[in-house]
Amino acid sequence: MNIAIRQVTPNDIDHCFEIESAAYPAEEAATLEKIRIRAEQYPEGFIVLELNHKVIGFMNSGCTDEVVMSDENFKELIGHSSSASHIVIMSVVIHPEFQSLGYSSQLIHNFIKIMKDLNKQSIQLICKDQYVKFYAKFGFEYCKISESSHGGEKWHEMQLIL
């Protein structure tokens, strides 16, 4: 098996949208346009995982100096600044056929290293109940129940100080 983690390219956008659509319920999945915006405006914070030269997962994010996890506009990178101190993760996604095989852990470890190398101060995310312990394994600390109602779900805010 040949595994590679690299920065997104324009050629990956449609495939990332297919993965997002397969992995998330429709009301939670990012649109093709949102994925395109994230890839074009902040490729440094958008990495893909390839297995045998095929993209099977990705992570994307934006930067801000003032983190408001319930800000829906930020998902389109409105208010994003590449030089800002804090990273907000938008998606951590592996195609359903490849889930529970450790690929998301590889993505997260790599992403944390990249953000440290970029001298970011923290990484923020929201997740559902079942993922709180998963992110805690990487050093993320629980903050609070989020005000976000994305997809009609209950979310938890977590952060990793770098």
Side-chain angles (χ1 to χ4, degrees):
M1 273 193 306
N2 182 5
I3 297 172
I5 297 176
R6 60 170 175 78
Q7 189 171 302
V8 70
T9 68
N11 292 335
D12 298 321
I13 294 170
D14 288 338
H15 196 64
C16 287
F17 174 67
E18 291 169 14
I19 295 168
E20 177 99 357
S21 299
Y24 287 117
E27 58 276 3
E28 291 176 29
T31 62
L32 176 61
E33 185 59 21
K34 284 181 182 174
I35 290 173
R36 181 180 322 286
I37 288 168
R38 295 170 192 173
E40 290 174 353
Q41 290 189 19
Y42 193 51
E44 302 92 330
F46 194 137
I47 58 175
V48 298
L49 186 143
E50 289 181 327
L51 178 63
N52 299 324
H53 308 289
K54 180 182 178 190
V55 175
I56 64 161
F58 65 92
M59 282 182 73
N60 58 38
S61 64
C63 293
T64 183
D65 282 320
E66 187 176 333
V67 177
V68 179
M69 294 303 293
S70 59
D71 182 356
E72 288 295 312
N73 289 328
F74 192 71
K75 292 182 173 97
E76 295 178 39
L77 295 189
I78 295 169
H80 162 80
S81 170
S82 297
S83 63
S85 301
H86 305 286
I87 297 295
V88 177
I89 293 175
M90 310 290 185
S91 296
V92 178
V93 59
I94 301 293
H95 191 283
E97 292 176 24
F98 300 96
Q99 289 178 0
S100 301
L101 299 173
Y103 295 121
S104 58
S105 293
Q106 291 181 46
L107 267 176
I108 293 166
H109 280 299
N110 193 285
F111 186 83
I112 291 169
K113 182 185 180 320
I114 291 168
M115 294 307 127
K116 284 181 178 178
D117 290 347
L118 291 173
N119 295 314
K120 300 303 178 184
Q121 292 180 9
S122 73
I123 301 174
Q124 316 283 323
L125 60 83
I126 61 172
C127 65
K128 294 181 183 174
D129 292 338
Q130 67 265 35
Y131 297 112
V132 170
K133 288 182 180 174
F134 173 75
Y135 286 110
K137 292 189 311 187
F138 302 96
F140 283 86
E141 295 180 359
Y142 187 85
C143 298
K144 64 181 182 177
I145 293 175
S146 181
E147 293 177 19
S148 175
S149 59
H150 180 70
E153 295 286 337
K154 178 178 142 188
W155 299 90
H156 302 277
E157 295 186 12
M158 299 186 76
Q159 75 173 347
L160 174 65
I161 305 298
L162 299 176

